[in-house]
Structures are given as C-alpha cells and as structure tokens.
Amino acid sequence: MGAKLGGGGGSRFDLGQNADINVTPFVDVMLVLLIIFMVSIPAATVSIKLDLPPAIPPPPGTVVKEPVLVNIQQGGALYIGERATSLDGLPSDLSAILRVEDPSTAPTEQRVYIRADRTVRYGDFMAVMNTLQGNGFYQVALINEEI
C-alpha cells in the first residue's frame, strides 16, 4: 500500500493512506503467466499418428473391391459379411475370403472392417481385435455408421 506525501492536513510526519491500486505489478505477473502458458501449451499437445486413406479418389473405370466386414452382434455372434462364423474360425474364414494363405507368417495388407453393435461387451470386441492381430491381420478399421 502506498502513502500520500502531501496535503490532507495533520502534522508534518502524519502520512495518510493511499487507496489507489498499483496496477504495474499485476500486469507484470499476468504477462509472465501468459508467456509461460504460450510456451508450455504446444509442448503439452500430443500428436497421434493416423493411417488415413488418401483424399484422392481412384481414377474412373477402376474396380473397387467390396470391403470385408466383420460384424459383432450382441451376445458375441460374429459374421463376416452375411456369413456366420465363430471366434476360433474367424482367421481361417477371413483367409479364405481374402485368399490369403497364412497371414500369421506374412501379414496381409488388406484392410478388415469391424462393425459392432452398440450393446456388445468390450471384452467380446477386444477378443475379436486380439484374434485378428494375433493371426496377422494388422490393417483393422472400425466402423460406426452404415456403409
């Protein structure tokens, strides 16, 4: 707090109080905090590498393959397209559909799409993901809408 040096009456050594706020230290602290936040925020953001498809459409006349859909329904029922399968038979059925001999020895580059029902348990979903990745199907995409 500051003191008045002149006026106001009273004795020679009686200094009155000054009720004005000194804003300069407040502004200095705010500028320092602003600089600290401006420097630290870009370092705090984490970049995630995404494997996105190219934005360029294929040239006209190119035959586009139908995607291979693995549907997981409530209760753990699995379908590859419209064909029913089980968790144990999933890798062999996918290999037959994709015409891949043994994806566990040579991983396939073909993408497999997974679509799960809203009520599917997380454990069932992760069992399908682990089965696919354990058998060499590393290109897995998740679908949340109707294609």
Side-chain angles (χ1 to χ4, degrees):
M1 202 174 277
K4 287 185 183 177
L5 296 177
S11 70
R12 180 174 174 196
F13 298 105
D14 185 23
L15 300 175
Q17 290 187 354
N18 186 2
D20 293 335
I21 298 174
N22 191 358
V23 181
T24 305
F26 176 72
V27 172
D28 290 344
V29 169
M30 288 297 126
L31 288 174
V32 168
L33 288 175
L34 177 67
I35 291 171
I36 289 172
F37 286 131
M38 286 173 56
V39 169
S40 65
I41 286 178
T45 58
V46 178
S47 62
I48 299 173
K49 184 179 179 187
L50 296 177
D51 183 20
L52 297 175
I56 302 168
T62 306
V63 178
V64 178
K65 289 184 179 180
E66 270 303 303
V68 177
L69 293 174
V70 176
N71 295 311
I72 310 171
Q73 295 189 354
Q74 185 178 11
L78 286 176
Y79 292 91
I80 300 175
E82 300 293 325
R83 218 172 94 191
T85 186
S86 65
L87 188 61
D88 296 331
L90 181 64
S92 60
D93 291 342
L94 269 177
S95 296
I97 289 173
L98 295 175
R99 293 179 185 88
V100 177
E101 292 164 11
D102 189 10
S104 60
T105 58
T108 179
E109 293 298 319
Q110 223 165 346
R111 191 173 305 271
V112 177
Y113 293 89
I114 297 179
R115 179 174 43 208
D117 189 31
R118 170 183 293 212
T119 56
V120 170
R121 292 183 39 216
Y122 181 73
D124 295 339
F125 173 77
M126 285 309 297
V128 171
M129 288 284 291
N130 291 336
T131 301
L132 288 175
Q133 289 183 352
N135 288 291
F137 296 100
Y138 297 116
Q139 298 291 327
V140 177
L142 305 178
I143 297 177
N144 64 350
E145 297 176 355
E146 188 68 33
I147 294 182

